[in-house]
């Protein structure tokens, strides 16, 4: 057995064992057996893939080199060798399994939250802290700027370098991502809310957290769509694009089945071609309904030229456009009012 095969089996199997329990227990913990069931985002994934243990099935199929048997979003891993399947297993474990389990812990905290009964909210705060821990991982470091992390916090920091969304304002090339700055603030806010029994406020905070968590998945999909389409990306790049897409497609589908289909057709395992512009347009069509702004995602940055890749700059913010439209209407109204006042003054 070659070294590459041994490496593939050992590294992939360790991750598989760590995440399999999450996915196999998902039905009881997120769909049927909890006070707040079904959890909103988990239901999107269950409805899209047609099974509650979709993440476990994804990883098992990648191990076996077989096709999944989902109702939507199938992946045929017989089209990949060890390089592609290793990516599907490792990143599938983190971005499909652990990603959803983080959301589960926050939802569990909301289930335990009791308004106005502070002494009964210990379990709620404990579950909230576990969500933060699963998001961050154990080797991220106290300041959150190490390159050693392996989970979602580190993913956000890696992708911000590709999309010029690092730093507290989201305009830097390196450092901690704006997504993580925002999430750390929201984590602290939600912790205080569940601790004090302000359960409704904590629910709104959780919605904001969930929306932010999808941003690196979108950035990852866009990055590898461009690599495959324009930079002759090979099996590894195709596999990475497929797993990032699989980690966000159910959420996109809940907003626009058409946009989700476009992304899937271009990014699925074994796609015959990839149109990165179509993928970008499909994502941008659903940002506002996903609670995401164009500035959250940024544009694909070319470090060599210190500019965005052609056609891959940041999109125009729907929020900014709405504000501009409102401002224009207000300016027109003010101008009209001033005109009326001016006419009256002249008449006087």
């Amino acid at each position: 057995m070659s070294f590459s095969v041994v490496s593939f089996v050992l590294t992939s199997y360790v991750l598989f064992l760590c995440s399999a329990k999450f996915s196999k227990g998902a039905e009881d913990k997120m769909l049927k057996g909890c006070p707040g069931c079904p959890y909103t985002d988990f239901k999107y994934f269950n409805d899209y893939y047609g099974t509650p243990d979709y993440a476990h099935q994804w990883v098992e199929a990648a191990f076996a080199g077989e096709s999944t048997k989902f109702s939507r979003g199938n992946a045929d891993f017989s089209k990949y060798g060890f390089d592609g399947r290793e990516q599907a297993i490792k990143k599938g474990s983190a971005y499909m399994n652990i990603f959803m389990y983080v959301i589960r812990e926050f939802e569990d905290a909301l289930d335990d939250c009791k308004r106005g009964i502070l002494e009964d909210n210990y379990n709620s705060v404990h579950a909230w802290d576990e969500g933060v821990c699963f998001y961050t991982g154990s080797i991220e470091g106290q300041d959150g700027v190490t390159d050693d992390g392996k989970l979602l916090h580190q993913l956000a920091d890696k992708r911000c370098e590709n999309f010029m969304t690092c730093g507290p304002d989201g305009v830097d090339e390196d450092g901690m991502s704006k997504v993580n700055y925002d999430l750390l603030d929201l984590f602290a806010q939600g912790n205080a809310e569940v601790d004090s029994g302000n359960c409704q406020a904590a629910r709104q905070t959780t919605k904001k957290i969930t929306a932010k968590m999808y941003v690196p998945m979108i950035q990852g999909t866009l990055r590898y769509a461009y690599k495959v389409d324009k930079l002759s990306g090979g099996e590894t790049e195709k596999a990475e694009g497929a797993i990032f897409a699989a980690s966000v497609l159910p959420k996109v589908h809940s907003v626009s089945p058409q946009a989700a289909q476009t992304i899937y057709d271009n990014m699925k395992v074994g796609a015959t071609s990839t149109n990165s512009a179509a993928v970008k347009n499909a994502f941008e069509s659903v940002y506002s309904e996903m609670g995401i702004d164009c500035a959250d995602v940024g544009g694909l940055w070319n470090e060599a030229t210190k500019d965005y890749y052609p056609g891959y700059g940041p999109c125009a913010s729907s929020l900014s456009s709405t504000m501009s439209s409102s401002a224009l209407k207000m300016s027109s109204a003010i101008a009209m009012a001033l005109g009326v006042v001016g006419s009256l003054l002249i008449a006087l």
Side-chain angles (χ1 to χ4, degrees):
M1 185 179 291
S2 69
F3 175 78
S4 62
V5 175
V6 173
S7 174
F8 161 72
V9 172
L10 290 179
T11 58
S12 300
Y13 191 62
V14 169
L15 283 166
F16 170 71
L17 290 176
C18 292
S19 60
K21 186 177 180 180
F22 293 163
S23 183
K24 292 167 75 174
E27 184 171 17
D28 287 338
K29 293 184 176 181
M30 290 183 265
L31 192 65
K32 295 180 178 179
C34 54
C37 282
Y39 294 154
T40 301
D41 282 81
F42 181 74
K43 190 172 186 302
Y44 295 151
F45 281 71
N46 180 74
D47 290 351
Y48 182 81
Y49 288 115
T51 179
D53 66 340
Y54 60 88
H56 180 65
Q57 290 193 30
W58 171 283
V59 175
E60 279 202 320
F63 261 115
E66 298 174 349
S67 177
T68 57
K69 296 177 176 61
F70 301 144
S71 57
R72 297 187 192 89
N74 273 309
D76 183 1
F77 294 108
S78 68
K79 299 181 181 299
Y80 283 166
F82 285 124
D83 290 343
R85 288 162 58 199
E86 181 180 11
Q87 293 301 319
I89 293 167
K90 293 197 305 188
K91 290 181 169 59
S93 296
Y95 306 154
M96 294 181 80
N97 279 284
I98 295 175
F99 173 86
M100 188 54 67
Y101 204 78
V102 171
I103 296 175
R104 184 263 168 183
E105 290 293 349
F106 293 137
E107 292 281 2
D108 185 41
L110 296 177
D111 285 349
D112 293 336
C113 185
K114 295 179 175 64
R115 179 179 293 278
I117 309 177
L118 299 184
E119 62 271 21
D120 284 350
N121 286 328
Y122 170 78
N123 288 333
S124 184
V125 173
H126 181 69
W128 190 271
D129 289 345
E130 285 188 341
V132 176
C133 288
F134 280 120
Y135 176 82
T136 307
S138 62
I139 58 175
E140 188 59 50
Q142 184 174 349
D143 298 326
V145 293
T146 178
D147 291 333
D148 294 331
K150 301 297 182 184
L151 299 183
L152 302 168
H153 186 287
Q154 181 62 21
L155 171 65
D157 286 351
K158 287 174 67 176
R159 291 291 82 87
C160 81
E161 295 177 358
N162 307 133
F163 284 80
M164 274 283 283
T165 53
C166 301
D169 298 320
V171 294
D172 298 335
E173 292 184 52
D174 53 29
M176 191 163 75
S177 65
K178 186 177 188 299
V179 164
N180 281 334
Y181 276 107
D182 291 345
L183 283 175
L184 290 175
D185 288 342
L186 290 168
F187 291 159
Q189 179 180 326
N191 182 288
E193 288 164 349
V194 295
D195 186 34
S196 65
N198 193 351
C199 309
Q200 188 55 42
R203 186 164 296 282
Q204 295 306 310
T205 299
T206 300
K207 288 181 180 179
K208 295 176 183 177
I209 288 171
T210 303
K212 291 284 184 184
M213 284 175 58
Y214 283 110
V215 170
M217 306 300 175
I218 294 171
Q219 291 175 326
T221 309
L222 292 172
R223 181 175 187 241
Y224 287 101
Y226 192 89
K227 281 195 168 193
V228 172
D229 183 18
K230 304 295 185 182
L231 303 178
S232 302
E235 181 176 297
T236 297
E237 289 76 17
K238 291 176 181 178
E240 294 204 57
I243 180 57
F244 279 119
S247 301
V248 72
L249 274 171
K251 178 70 172 181
V252 175
H253 185 269
S254 72
V255 175
S256 170
Q258 181 179 357
Q261 190 64 47
T262 297
I263 296 166
Y264 173 72
D265 288 343
N266 283 278
M267 302 304 298
K268 66 182 178 181
V269 175
T272 55
S273 63
T274 298
N275 183 332
S276 57
V279 173
K280 184 173 187 286
N281 291 336
F283 271 124
E284 290 172 0
S285 73
V286 297
Y287 282 165
S288 60
E289 291 184 74
M290 288 181 65
I292 294 172
D293 196 67
C294 287
D296 293 329
V297 178
L300 187 59
W301 185 251
N302 187 333
E303 176 63 24
T305 64
K306 296 297 180 182
D307 198 359
Y308 295 109
Y309 282 100
Y312 246 62
C315 62
S317 169
S318 56
L319 178 61
S320 300
S321 298
T322 302
M323 292 175 66
S324 298
S325 177
S326 300
L328 182 61
K329 290 178 181 177
M330 185 177 293
S331 298
S332 299
I334 292 172
M336 185 178 295
L338 290 174
V340 171
V341 172
S343 298
L344 290 173
L345 288 174
I346 290 172
L348 290 173

